Amino acid sequence: MPGPKDLDPSSSPRAMIGAELRHARRRKGLRQTELGQVLFVSGSFIGQLEAGARRMQPEYARMLDVELDTGDFFTRNCAATAKSKYPEHFAEAAEAEAQATAIKEYSPQLIPGLLQTPAYARAVFRAYRPTEPERQLDELVSIRTDRAALLDDPTNLVLWVVVDEAALRRVTGGRAVMAEAVRYVADVARRHRAIVQVLPFETGAHPAMEGPVRLMDFADAPPMVYFEGVGTGRLEDDPSTVRGRQRTFELLAACALSPAKSLVLLDEVAQDYAHAKHP
C-alpha cells in the first residue's frame, strides 16, 4: 500500500506545519498513535494535523516542540495557521473542507452553504444578524459564496448533499430569491458538480430528525464529522462517532429521492416560486 502523499510545504502555512510534523515524527521513529498518546489525542488527530486538515493549537505546538526536539518551531509557527476569515466556531471546519476529497451533508433547514446564491446567503445572515451593517453583511456573503470555488474542479471534491424539502419550501428572502436559489441547486446537479438528493415531506420520519449531518473524507487523513449549532461548531474524529454518522447519512440517502427525481422536484419548486403572484 502506498504511503501518505507528501504535502507541498509552500502551498499554505498549514501544509508547511503538517509536512514538518510528519518529518519530525518520522525522524523520532514514532507512529501517529504513539505521538498522539503524548498529546492525549488519537492517532487520527495526528494524521489530520500532518495532512493539513486540522489547525495546530498552541498547547499542542508546545508539547510537540518538547517531544520532537524541534526547539520552538511549532510554537513560533502555529500562529500562522490560526488566522482565518471565517467565524471562530466554523474556521477549522471551513479549512478542513478545503482539504476534503468528499463532503456528505444533510441540511434540514437551509440550502447547504456550498450551494447558496449570494442573495439567499444574504437573507440567511440578515435573519440572525438583524442589526448588522450592510458592509459587514457584504463581507459575510462574499466569504460564504467564495467557498463554492471548491466546485469549480469536480475532480478534487465529491459533494453529496441531501436537502430537506422543508429547506426548499421555506421562503427565505422572498420568492424571487428562492426561485434563483432552487434553480441554482438544480443547475449544479445538472452540470454534475454535486450529487443532490431531496428528502421529501412524504418520507415522514427519517434517520436524521435530530439535526444536520456533515461528513468529510480526506486523501491522507481519517474522516471527520462536523457538529454545528447556533453560533457553535466542533470537529470530531472518533471512529465510532464517524461511523455512526456515516450510517445515518447512508440510511438518509436511501430514504431520499433519487438524483433524477430530485431534479424534477427542484425544477417544480423553482417554477412554483417564479410563477407566484406575490414577491
Side-chain angles (χ1 to χ4, degrees):
M1 180 181 295
K5 176 179 64 179
D6 287 335
L7 290 174
D8 176 5
S10 66
S11 63
S12 70
R14 186 173 295 194
M16 181 268 290
I17 290 283
E20 184 62 25
L21 175 57
R22 181 173 292 166
H23 171 74
R25 175 181 60 78
R26 288 174 172 172
R27 185 185 62 204
K28 277 284 193 176
L30 295 172
R31 297 193 300 268
Q32 289 177 343
T33 52
E34 292 172 329
L35 183 56
Q37 289 172 0
V38 176
L39 272 63
F40 303 101
V41 298
S42 65
S44 297
F45 187 95
I46 299 298
Q48 289 153 1
L49 285 175
E50 292 182 356
R54 273 193 183 270
R55 177 188 299 182
M56 177 70 72
Q57 300 293 338
E59 60 271 25
Y60 296 138
R62 290 189 292 269
M63 296 170 73
L64 287 169
D65 279 331
V66 172
E67 183 65 24
L68 300 176
D69 295 327
T70 49
D72 63 349
F73 175 85
F74 293 111
T75 304
R76 283 187 295 107
N77 287 286
C78 76
T81 70
K83 297 177 181 178
S84 178
K85 61 184 178 180
Y86 299 102
E88 183 176 353
H89 74 276
F90 185 63
E92 191 171 16
E95 292 153 5
E97 173 184 88
Q99 303 290 331
T101 57
I103 297 173
K104 299 173 184 177
E105 181 171 2
Y106 163 64
S107 181
Q109 296 293 334
L110 295 171
I111 293 173
L114 287 172
L115 298 180
Q116 291 181 8
T117 62
Y120 181 91
R122 175 178 289 275
V124 171
F125 282 123
R126 177 56 72 197
Y128 74 86
R129 299 192 180 202
T131 62
E132 193 81 8
E134 288 297 322
R135 178 178 56 80
Q136 294 180 20
L137 210 63
D138 290 341
E139 183 177 353
L140 290 170
V141 171
S142 177
I143 289 171
R144 173 161 293 184
T145 54
D146 282 351
R147 288 168 50 210
L150 293 172
L151 302 179
D152 291 344
D153 185 354
T155 63
N156 288 339
L157 173 69
V158 175
L159 176 63
W160 184 355
V161 298
V162 176
V163 185
D164 202 292
E165 187 175 353
L168 303 176
R169 298 292 185 182
R170 185 178 297 280
V171 184
T172 303
R175 296 184 183 277
V177 169
M178 287 302 300
E180 177 192 41
V182 178
R183 275 198 303 264
Y184 178 70
V185 174
D187 180 61
V188 170
R190 192 168 277 116
R191 290 187 291 113
H192 307 292
R193 291 298 187 262
I195 301 167
V196 178
Q197 293 182 261
V198 176
L199 186 69
F201 287 139
E202 65 188 29
T203 297
H206 61 80
M209 294 186 72
E210 293 184 346
V213 177
R214 198 164 199 270
L215 294 152
M216 288 180 276
D217 294 328
F218 305 92
D220 302 310
M224 289 191 286
V225 61
Y226 178 64
F227 294 96
E228 186 173 28
V230 178
T232 64
R234 75 181 193 279
L235 287 170
E236 291 280 351
D237 64 0
D238 174 67
S240 62
T241 300
V242 172
R243 283 195 301 270
R245 295 308 182 275
Q246 287 172 334
R247 176 63 58 85
T248 296
F249 187 87
E250 291 166 359
L251 292 171
L252 192 69
C255 293
L257 297 175
S258 69
K261 290 183 178 180
S262 295
L263 258 179
V264 172
L265 181 56
L266 287 166
D267 287 338
E268 290 176 352
V269 173
Q271 290 175 10
D272 288 346
Y273 281 126
H275 296 153
K277 295 182 180 179
H278 303 289

